Amino acid sequence: MLAGLPMYDWPEISAATDEFWTLLRGCLLRRGIDAPEALTRQDDLAGMWHSPDLVFGQTCALPFAMDLNRHVRLIGSPAYDIGCAPGCYYSVLIVPKGRSTDLERFRGPVVINEFSSQSGFATLMLSLVAAGVDMNEVNVRASGAHRASIKAVAHGEAGLAAIDVVSFTLAKRYMSEADAVEVIGCTRPTPGMALISALPDVATDGLARAFEEAVKMLVPSLRRELLLTGFLRRKAEDYVGVAEAWRSIEGQLPSDAAYSLTSFAVPR
């Protein structure tokens, strides 16, 4: 069995994430859903998402909308204390401090966390295209993580990045580099991180109820640490707009910003 909550599993709050999993696992067991004692932490997220042994997992909106929705059951979206509708999220657009600029005037290097990211890649590309930026004058580099992108902007290695607002809130707590960047705007909210499972459809209601119960059991200090406030049940159709928005600009991007389903798929 596998279970993972990798999207916001920063080292600084990994102990809190483990505490929440202990609560969630207890709620699952009480509903007759077997679950591993500990979370799996691995770099191969695509492998986890496609594993037939996945009891409870979490994925970004873009891979779910583009491909993964055909292979897993959707449980819903967590709600976070980010000033956004429950189950939704957005990104902040950051530049080096002191270099504030209108987005339509931006030219130069941008940094993304990964090409599989809705919050760090797709929303950034959508924002630039909507602002009328000549995408041939934008150079895209992947850093591997939101916190690495924040460091790149803080150190002047990139002029722009889009950072998931939950990640940016954590960065303001734990990263001195967050003080060296400036927020120049926010992206449009979209459906948030998708909670998923490889279990049969019949288990979906029990998985959702278990998550709802576990969130309610959080003590205030743990709730604040995780920023976790609630849960929204969703249908896969809720993420259709994510895929449609991406496809609407895909042909306008330079080759170094090309998205491919092979970024998320594993051999089957």
Side-chain angles (χ1 to χ4, degrees):
M1 294 182 292
L2 293 175
L5 298 172
M7 296 294 101
Y8 303 121
D9 190 22
W10 286 38
E12 294 88 348
I13 62 169
S14 61
T17 303
D18 287 335
E19 284 188 58
F20 177 67
W21 172 247
T22 298
L23 290 175
L24 177 52
R25 180 175 183 265
C27 296
L28 291 168
L29 294 177
R30 285 193 290 276
R31 287 169 171 78
I33 300 173
D34 201 6
E37 184 172 346
L39 292 170
T40 296
R41 289 180 166 96
Q42 64 182 50
D43 294 332
D44 180 16
L45 293 183
M48 178 186 290
W49 296 336
H50 285 272
S51 172
D53 299 320
L54 183 64
V55 175
F56 209 103
Q58 185 183 44
T59 181
C60 186
L62 185 62
F64 179 80
M66 296 296 290
D67 174 66
L68 195 55
N69 59 80
R70 299 184 295 114
H71 307 286
V72 296
R73 255 59 64 197
L74 175 65
I75 304 166
S77 297
Y80 294 96
D81 184 14
I82 53 175
C84 195
C88 294
Y89 72 154
Y90 61 94
S91 296
V92 295
L93 301 174
I94 63 169
V95 298
K97 200 160 191 175
R99 300 188 199 173
S100 183
T101 180
D102 293 332
L103 196 60
E104 57 265 24
R105 297 178 183 175
F106 178 80
R107 301 292 185 273
V110 304
V111 62
I112 66 169
N113 55 335
E114 297 177 354
F115 287 96
S116 60
S117 175
Q118 169 68 11
S119 60
F121 173 52
T123 56
L124 180 57
M125 298 297 105
L126 285 160
S127 297
L128 289 169
V129 169
V133 174
D134 183 350
M135 297 303 291
N136 290 313
E137 297 186 28
V138 175
N139 302 315
V140 181
R141 175 175 71 84
S143 70
H146 275 305
R147 62 191 308 159
S149 295
I150 294 170
K151 289 180 180 179
V153 174
H155 296 157
E157 298 166 4
L160 178 68
I163 308 296
D164 176 327
V165 66
V166 177
S167 295
F168 193 65
T169 303
L170 294 174
K172 288 190 290 184
R173 286 184 191 170
Y174 302 117
M175 294 180 63
S176 60
E177 290 89 350
D179 294 329
V181 303
E182 185 174 341
V183 176
I184 63 168
C186 301
T187 65
R188 181 179 299 178
T190 62
M193 297 291 179
L195 298 173
I196 58 173
S197 177
L199 295 179
D201 287 338
V202 68
T204 304
D205 184 66
L207 293 165
R209 289 181 182 274
F211 194 88
E212 289 173 325
E213 182 183 4
V215 172
K216 291 177 181 177
M217 293 170 64
L218 286 171
V219 298
S221 59
L222 195 58
R223 186 184 302 274
R224 287 192 297 270
E225 192 168 2
L226 295 172
L227 298 169
L228 190 56
T229 61
F231 171 78
L232 180 68
R233 297 199 188 199
R234 285 193 176 279
K235 297 180 180 179
E237 291 79 9
D238 294 344
Y239 290 86
V240 168
V242 171
E244 289 178 344
W246 174 254
R247 293 190 179 104
S248 72
I249 66 163
E250 194 172 13
Q252 302 177 52
L253 303 183
S255 58
D256 63 353
Y259 166 91
S260 170
L261 288 180
T262 58
S263 299
F264 316 112
V266 295
R268 291 185 291 277

